[in-house]
Structures are given as C-alpha cells and as structure tokens.
Amino acid sequence: MITDLQIQHELLKTALEATDAYLGVEEHAQLHFSSGAPVTNQMLHDFTYHMARAHDALQALGVLD
C-alpha cells in the first residue's frame, strides 16, 4: 500500500476519472445498442481500457483484495 499522500491523491483521482470514463462508455454503448446498432470493438476496447486503469489505481491504493 502506498502511504505518500500526494501519490494517493493522484491514484484516487485516476481511479475516479477512469471509472467515470468506463461508465460513460457503458452508457453510450447501451444507447447505441438500444437503437438497434451493435456495440463496436472500439467501445469494448475503451471500456476495458478504462476499467483496467481504475482497477490498477485501486489495487495500488491497497483497497482491493
């Protein structure tokens, strides 16, 4: 677990921004899909990328088992 407060602040900020991003991608994909269009590979990539960023930041903070 990282104890430096500045690093913790940046990791938390990264986790929040990445979570907001992947939730935004999810919302966009749901709207896209509900209109009859398929979810694209780019949407899947973006969702996975942002979720991995959030996971990595939270893991570095020591809040994940």
Side-chain angles (χ1 to χ4, degrees), residues 2-47:
I2 296 173
T3 57
D4 183 293
L5 290 179
Q6 183 62 29
I7 294 173
Q8 285 181 345
H9 174 80
E10 290 303 317
L11 286 169
L12 182 58
K13 182 178 168 185
T14 296
L16 290 170
E17 288 172 348
T19 300
D20 184 55
Y22 80 69
L23 290 174
V25 172
E26 178 188 31
E27 181 179 2
H28 176 72
Q30 286 177 344
L31 291 172
H32 192 75
F33 185 74
S34 69
S35 71
V39 174
T40 66
N41 286 337
Q42 186 64 48
M43 289 176 193
L44 292 172
H45 172 271
D46 292 347
F47 180 86

Side-chain angles (χ1 to χ4, degrees), residues 45-58:
H45 172 271
D46 292 347
F47 180 86
T48 303
Y49 170 74
H50 292 299
M51 182 171 273
R53 284 181 58 224
H55 175 269
D56 292 347
L58 292 171

